[in-house]
Amino acid sequence: MTNDPVDQNVSEPAAPDPAVMDRIVNLCKRRGIIFPSAEIYGGFRSTYDYGPIGVLMLRNVKDAWWRTMVQLRTDVLGLDASILSPPAVWEASGHLANFSDPLVDCTACKQRFRQDHLDDLSRCPGCGARDSFTEARQFNLMFKTHAGPVEESAAVAYLRPETAQGMFINFANVLNTSRKKPPFGIAQVGKSFRNEITPGNFVFRTREFEQMELEFFVPPDEAGQWYEYWCRERFDWYVRHGIAPAKLRLRAHDADELSHYSSGTSDVEFLFPWGWGELEGIANRGNYDLTQHATHSGADLSYFDQESKTRYVPHVIEPAAGATRSMMAFLIAAYDEEEVNGETRTVLRLHHRIAPFKVAVLPLSKKAPLVELSRQVLADIQPRWMADYDETQAIGRRYRRQDEIGTPYCVTVDFDSLEDRAVTVRERDSMAQERVPIDRLVAYLGERLI
Ligand code: ATP
């Protein structure tokens, strides 16, 4: 394999602590971050709902990605393609034939496993039986449904198992309407569905999840350098958004892991409490995807370069990330417990762009003049940032509640505020407090929340 960036695993971080996962799952439930789906009906396997705090955080993860990948660039355009698509798309992409996992059943306990996840092929990890597995069967991971009222084969549709194909089949549409030329990319964020055999580890692997994918189309002779560029860029994105480099690594796939059309794939991996797990794959896909769709659809998906007077099918570099899985990594990386005055403080040290609320406005008491002034302060903040407002309980308890959901700044309005027109701003990580004039507050926060 060529052009694979060097592994960036710096020093080995401390051994993962599986117990921490229980505390995070508990925090998610308790604070309205993530709930198990259909809980009042006993739950529905491995599906989750994002609560009032979680929906903000997930949206922030997606927005942070979009900001980096689309907003701050001139060579990437956005797209929002349909989730339902006809079999022809998946025939061309190879998913109908190949998007499957090898499944084995234990004849003793009837449990089902992914063969490639078993450490020992002769011993069932469920019941311990020896040589009890059936032959492996290929199980297609796509969800199949029917469009329209008739369940006939002509009406078969699939829920997309990745967002990528939407970009490929719109390549010509985007090219013809945008005045871009390779190298340029199409970015998309949205839901994908895979009938995973072994979902688990909370939202790490679910059947319904969100992805953030870029298809970057390049002249064939530039593919190697863009592959390296995107590997570094994507690794750095997680670091810039608050994950310590020691908890991340870029792992190049071995030759036997690569798909036949890929000349290089690297995964950005995060050290989850149970070990290293993939957050994102960056693949040098050659011209496989556009060629497949051109062949199957008959559409011309080549590009004619006016300058060099040559026609070529662009090569594709694909950084494909999970939004829900990344959110979980951000949560784990940010989770901290520390002793403060003999008590344990739980704090999510989230990057401010990922934090659900940027600011919380807290009147020291529920007395009318304080509440009124607090509402005015809140009204200054709300058009700019997502802000929480809380007037219940003692101030110390309210700070702790905000720490637990990672709010970077608490703004306390006290009785002095009525006189000096200033508020106390408390910073989450250091707990340092500073008096800031109300008419300076938006500028003060603006300098820190960019
Ligand atoms: P895995 O090996 O974990 O099944 P993959 O290599 O099949 O993942 P890709 O097809 O490269 O994954 O998808 C890109 C990203 O989408 C993954 O890195 C991951 O973050 C996310 N993703 C894939 N499958 C799931 C899932 N079932 N649940 C949550 N996120 C997922």
Side-chain angles (χ1 to χ4, degrees), residues 18-29:
V20 108
M21 209 47 231
D22 291 341
R23 296 205 283 279
I24 291 170
V25 173
N26 186 292
L27 176 76
C28 284
K29 177 78 204 297

Side-chain angles (χ1 to χ4, degrees), residues 83-378:
I83 286 173
L84 284 175
S85 41
V89 171
W90 308 106
E91 231 164 80
S93 69
H95 283 78
L96 271 176
N98 303 321
F99 194 58
S100 56
D101 284 336
L103 258 191
V104 292
D105 291 307
C106 171
T107 49
C109 70
K110 310 292 179 212
Q111 286 190 76
R112 187 165 285 175
F113 302 94
R114 255 177 80 166
Q115 190 185 41
D116 55 333
H117 280 182
L118 292 173
D119 295 330
D120 180 354
L121 288 175
S122 62
R123 192 163 177 279
C124 172
C127 66
R130 293 221 162 258
D131 300 319
S132 60
F133 288 127
T134 58
E135 288 285 300
R137 289 175 294 124
Q138 290 300 323
F139 171 78
N140 195 291
L141 299 183
M142 282 198 293
F143 279 98
K144 192 175 181 178
T145 187
H146 293 89
V150 191
E151 291 199 8
E152 58 182 11
S153 60
V156 165
Y158 290 92
L159 303 191
R160 65 182 180 197
E162 60 176 32
T163 65
Q165 301 305 320
M167 274 89 92
F168 298 133
I169 62 179
N170 278 291
F171 170 73
N173 280 338
V174 175
L175 190 68
N176 295 336
T177 53
S178 69
R179 305 173 63 88
K180 295 282 178 215
K181 54 177 283 196
F184 83 100
I186 308 178
Q188 181 169 205
V189 173
K191 287 231 166 163
S192 293
F193 302 81
R194 295 181 189 180
N195 201 358
E196 298 277 5
I197 298 153
T198 44
N201 282 332
F202 199 36
V203 298
F204 179 84
R205 188 181 303 284
T206 48
R207 298 200 169 103
E208 175 180 344
F209 56 98
E210 284 201 78
Q211 289 189 306
M212 312 183 286
E213 294 193 289
L214 170 71
E215 306 304 327
F216 201 72
F217 302 96
V218 301
D221 59 352
E222 293 179 23
Q225 81 201 50
W226 280 109
Y227 170 61
E228 283 191 45
Y229 167 85
W230 281 113
C231 283
R232 292 190 199 293
E233 188 60 25
R234 294 306 307 150
F235 183 93
D236 289 349
W237 184 82
Y238 294 95
V239 177
R240 288 205 302 277
H241 289 86
I243 302 186
K247 295 245 162 153
L248 291 166
R249 70 179 186 190
L250 191 61
R251 187 184 69 79
H253 282 205
D254 294 334
D256 61 354
E257 285 179 90
L258 289 176
S259 39
H260 63 91
Y261 48 80
S262 173
S263 58
T265 298
S266 292
D267 291 342
V268 179
E269 295 186 337
F270 173 73
L271 189 61
F272 285 94
W274 58 88
W276 291 101
E278 173 184 333
L279 292 181
E280 168 159 1
I282 300 110
N284 184 348
R285 300 178 62 88
N287 63 10
Y288 174 80
D289 307 279
L290 290 181
T291 304
Q292 284 292 106
H293 285 298
T295 309
H296 283 249
S297 68
D300 180 6
L301 300 180
S302 64
Y303 174 74
F304 182 72
D305 186 354
Q306 296 287 356
E307 270 166 48
S308 64
K309 305 280 182 242
T310 51
R311 181 171 287 285
Y312 61 86
V313 177
H315 283 211
V316 168
I317 311 302
E318 176 191 79
T324 39
R325 197 181 278 184
S326 297
M327 170 172 157
M328 182 175 166
F330 283 120
L331 267 175
I332 293 168
Y335 186 88
D336 193 16
E337 290 174 4
E338 65 176 9
E339 267 314 279
V340 177
N341 301 333
E343 274 185 46
T344 305
R345 173 172 97 118
T346 300
V347 52
L348 288 186
R349 299 188 193 278
L350 291 168
H351 186 280
H352 63 76
R353 229 172 271 143
I354 306 291
F357 294 109
K358 316 302 175 200
V359 187
V361 176
L362 314 171
L364 196 64
S365 103
K366 283 190 205 163
K367 296 247 160 54
L370 279 198
V371 168
E372 198 184 314
L373 183 58
S374 301
R375 291 273 175 194
Q376 286 168 16
V377 170
L378 184 67

